[in-house]
Amino acid sequence: MTKRYELSELIRGDNFIDGEWVAAVAGKRFDVTNPATGEVIREVADSDTADARAATDAAARAFPAWRDALARDRAAVLHRWHALMVENADALGRLISLEQGKPFAEGRGEVMYGASYVAWFADEATRIYGDLIPQQQRGKRMSAIKEPVGIVAAITPWNFPLAMIARKIAPALAAGCTVVAKPAEDTPLTALALAMLADEAGVPPGVLNLISASRDNAMPAVADWLADNRVRKVTFTGSTPVGKYLARASADTLKKLSLELGGNAPFIVFDDADLEAAVTGLLAAKFRNGGQTCVSPNRVYVHSGVYERFADLLATRVAALKVAPASDPAAQIGPMINERAIDKITRHVDDAVSRGARVLTGGKRLAELGPNYYAPTVLADATPDMHMSCDETFGPVVPLFRFDDEAEAIGAANDTLFGLASYFYSQDVRRIDRVARQLEAGIVGINEGILASEAAPFGGVKESGYGREGSKYGLDDYLSIKYLCQGGLE
Ligand code: ADP
């Protein structure tokens, strides 16, 4: 029987190292707060280099046995972890809402989404094939086998507290790697709950080690992993500046890297688009998690022939969105994660308005609801000189840009350092083929706003990073290829 826990049983405040729950070596703690109210949910360990080192030591001890475990045994552990996540989806969903702020339906949806990667990679664990290379010389047999890279350090953001870490731990464990991980300081509780379920699922001590740290201690703790030769890979989702720092700091030990960094997703509406469908797709893509998603459309380009009609349709639908704390079952948008997020959104909207944008709906904080709420916003007459055209707003704000022809739209869409997601709506098959090929992005949504799937390769190009999560390609990032050449066979 898979055990179902109460929410309170899933809330842990210590680090999980070598199969044990332990306080930070220095005894320090920091508060995790509810972004809807600012209230403290729980104190957690504020780890530094000593805790990071202890995690690496445990991961190093556990590695040989986990690497050599039968593929089907690793798969079985991951399947049990998946079952525990699904069984506890309600409580985990509530925990996500509590520390991250998203509505419960989205929190629960995130649990199922994150769990789907665990099931996927459980299956993939049993399909890590090598090759027997066609014979090139008499008496010689050449083959290629795949091996786990070693200890993996995973660093994750706060916007999807469960999915981002599950999406890294699952392929690492499937490949036979051991893991040291640090979730974001805003949302460590969901990750710690996952570690508890992993323990229950039978993940052996030391195979998964998780430490929490405050923003100030994140750098020294992670730096210890970056400098440690035993850690062979870093997998990170977060901002581009931090991703670049991790790449630079990993250079001395030449670690393998997967970086899923910021986006600046364009969303193009051509004049041959089904406008109702485009509005629905944009709402789904943009307002999930209040716009705090790296694949959220950040720049919406609308053909001048349909601009006003699209803007009206969109503004009406956006004005009807229900903003409320996650505890309200009708909530569609919760609070933003923290003051820093609200400040950035406010700065971006004020800048756009000062440069001539028209507010069709929203455009202000909702202080009456709590400290971190912002009204879903649509801005018309956006222009490339506005901050939000080159920097991710990461909030519930849609700027509408105008274009007149296809080449102009593609040029504007690609005029960014980033290249994670992109979207366009058109009903012309030849245009669909042309535009999909020309967009500089790792992911293209065509007449579709929801792209996420464990079966698909997720990742970016340009300064959005490299590496792919999910799909049949997702394991490659955690494996290295060894070439075996056996002679004397004749
Ligand atoms: P955001 O701005 O959305 O918080 P970040 O890229 O700053 O995104 O954070 C993503 C993750 O990276 C978090 O777990 C955070 O603690 C961690 N992080 C931030 N700065 C550093 C750093 N200098 N060294 C190591 N980890 C960091």
Side-chain angles (χ1 to χ4, degrees):
M1 262 300 277
T2 305
K3 189 157 179 210
R4 185 175 294 186
Y5 290 95
E6 297 296 323
L7 173 58
S8 58
E9 295 175 287
L10 287 172
I11 299 184
R12 313 298 299 236
D14 285 330
N15 287 334
F16 184 68
I17 298 176
D18 212 7
E20 305 283 342
W21 294 96
V22 290
V25 172
K28 291 203 190 125
R29 300 196 160 267
F30 70 99
D31 291 339
V32 180
T33 56
N34 179 342
T37 59
E39 283 162 18
V40 176
I41 307 167
R42 171 86 199 224
E43 279 191 328
V44 297
D46 192 0
S47 311
D48 59 26
T49 50
D51 308 286
R53 185 70 57 86
T56 312
D57 291 344
R61 283 193 298 274
F63 178 61
W66 186 247
R67 174 193 62 202
D68 296 339
L70 294 181
R72 68 159 177 264
D73 290 343
R74 286 203 300 271
V77 169
L78 286 170
H79 276 304
R80 283 199 296 275
W81 192 31
H82 169 257
L84 278 160
M85 289 166 75
V86 171
E87 184 68 24
N88 289 282
D90 282 352
L92 288 168
R94 276 167 48 219
L95 183 53
I96 293 172
S97 292
L98 199 61
E99 66 172 346
Q100 199 271 340
K102 70 182 66 172
F104 171 69
E106 283 192 32
R108 196 180 189 288
E110 183 186 336
V111 179
M112 300 309 285
Y113 173 63
S116 72
Y117 282 84
V118 177
W120 176 268
F121 284 111
D123 290 339
E124 288 294 294
T126 60
R127 297 179 196 134
I128 302 173
Y129 294 99
D131 290 307
L132 188 59
I133 295 164
Q135 199 170 29
Q136 305 293 318
Q137 287 175 37
R138 297 274 162 232
K140 256 192 189 175
R141 182 158 59 209
M142 301 188 292
S143 58
I145 61 169
K146 293 187 181 173
E147 295 186 329
V149 291
I151 301 175
V152 172
I155 299 137
T156 53
W158 48 264
N159 59 346
F160 290 89
L162 185 142
M164 293 300 108
I165 200 152
R167 203 154 101 155
K168 293 175 164 45
I169 295 173
L173 298 197
C177 300
T178 55
V179 174
V180 294
K182 191 205 75 63
E185 54 279 1
D186 293 294
T187 59
L189 296 174
T190 307
L192 291 164
L194 276 195
M196 176 181 150
L197 297 183
D199 187 33
E200 164 124 5
V203 171
V207 168
L208 171 61
N209 307 278
L210 212 134
I211 63 171
S212 53
S214 64
R215 186 103 193 151
D216 287 346
N217 270 345
M219 188 170 188
V222 169
D224 198 73
W225 292 339
L226 300 176
D228 194 323
N229 255 304
R230 296 173 297 170
V231 175
R232 295 313 316 150
K233 178 184 170 72
V234 173
T235 173
F236 171 74
T237 299
S239 62
T240 295
V242 175
K244 288 181 179 176
Y245 155 74
L246 294 174
R248 278 192 294 267
S250 299
D252 279 344
T253 51
L254 281 181
K255 295 188 204 313
K256 197 168 164 119
L257 286 163
S258 296
L259 300 174
E260 201 265 273
L261 309 177
N264 182 7
F267 186 110
I268 309 172
V269 182
F270 289 102
D271 54 351
D272 55 31
D274 174 339
L275 289 193
E276 293 278 355
V279 169
T280 300
L282 178 56
L283 280 162
K286 177 73 215 184
F287 292 100
R288 197 162 52 102
N289 205 13
Q292 302 172 111
T293 306
C294 46
V295 293
S296 269
N298 198 51
R299 300 167 292 148
V300 178
Y301 298 97
V302 186
H303 190 274
S304 51
V306 294
Y307 189 92
E308 297 302 338
R309 201 145 58 85
F310 183 83
D312 279 352
L313 282 171
L314 180 68
T316 307
R317 297 271 299 272
V318 171
L321 290 171
K322 168 90 173 162
V323 184
S327 53
D328 183 336
Q332 291 171 294
I333 296 184
M336 300 295 105
I337 188 69
N338 53 30
E339 188 70 30
R340 210 153 49 97
I342 284 281
D343 284 350
K344 183 171 191 191
I345 297 165
T346 308
R347 235 178 19 252
H348 273 195
V349 171
D350 291 352
D351 166 74
V353 169
S354 76
R355 292 171 198 266
R358 266 186 299 139
V359 178
L360 300 187
T361 184
K364 58 180 192 306
R365 290 178 75 149
L366 298 173
E368 64 279 16
L369 290 178
N372 296 328
Y373 288 90
Y374 201 90
T377 299
V378 179
L379 301 175
D381 303 336
T383 49
D385 60 329
M386 296 172 181
H387 287 332
M388 59 179 59
S389 78
C390 55
D391 186 15
E392 232 180 344
T393 305
F394 232 59
V397 180
V398 181
L400 298 176
F401 300 76
R402 203 183 289 263
F403 71 89
D404 288 313
D405 67 53
E406 187 181 299
E408 181 192 352
I410 291 168
N414 288 340
D415 185 17
T416 169
L417 294 173
F418 300 97
L420 186 56
S422 58
Y423 307 79
F424 68 95
Y425 274 70
S426 166
Q427 298 190 92
D428 176 334
V429 285
R430 279 178 296 187
R431 168 173 278 161
I432 287 175
D433 178 59
R434 271 195 314 271
V435 176
R437 282 187 287 109
Q438 289 181 79
L439 285 174
E440 296 169 0
I443 304 169
V444 184
I446 306 164
N447 297 326
E448 178 59 60
I450 296 290
L451 317 176
S453 165
E454 77 282 8
F458 186 105
V461 297
K462 296 161 78 175
E463 291 197 14
S464 291
Y466 36 74
R468 293 292 178 269
E469 294 189 318
S471 83
K472 67 171 184 172
Y473 307 107
L475 269 185
D476 294 343
D477 284 10
Y478 296 87
L479 295 166
S480 58
I481 294 173
K482 183 183 271 179
Y483 159 46
L484 308 180
C485 181
Q486 186 175 1
L489 292 177
E490 228 171 14

